[in-house]
Amino acid sequence: MAGADAQASDNDTLRSGFILKGRQATYQINSVVKRGGFGIIYSATPSDWSEEAERNGDPKKYGYRVAIKEFFWPPVARRRNDGFVEAVDTANQQDFAAARESFDREAELLTRLKSDYVVRVFDRFAINGTTYYAMEY
């Protein structure tokens, strides 16, 4: 398995203005907050909240800035010009898939947790070959 110490470069991140369609809202990327070994965190502006999110009060509770965590694992993953994330080659596909599955489980668990001591995750979705989750900023 490739090392987790590599971090995403500016060329690997989503550009400001990039649109992600989640399950609970549509998100416009504002900027990169943090790059890590297995993911990138962005500041984003949500819009078009789902009826479920409206009923739960999420738009009012979280305001109009959220954090989006994206599964992106360099040097195993690369981003194409269209924003799609894929394994860099066939030798890394299994590692990429296994790590993405682990990230998916983390997102699912965080979505179900309700604690004053854990950041609230209110949307998780897969698009562009990778997984994202939206949380309080």
Side-chain angles (χ1 to χ4, degrees), residues 13-56:
T13 61
L14 295 172
R15 70 188 180 287
S16 178
F18 194 91
I19 301 294
L20 294 170
K21 179 67 175 150
R23 288 195 252 186
Q24 300 296 331
T26 299
Y27 305 95
Q28 181 175 334
I29 299 298
N30 298 323
S31 62
V32 173
V33 174
K34 175 99 171 112
R35 294 175 187 91
F38 285 94
I40 304 169
I41 299 175
Y42 302 94
S43 167
T45 303
S47 63
D48 301 328
W49 288 94
S50 70
E51 289 181 23
E52 178 185 348
E54 291 285 353
R55 280 193 306 274
N56 293 335

Side-chain angles (χ1 to χ4, degrees), residues 107-120:
E108 181 181 3
L109 176 64
L110 288 171
T111 302
R112 290 187 281 144
L113 285 176
K114 306 289 186 240
S115 170
D116 292 338
Y117 303 103
V118 178
V119 68
R120 168 115 156 79

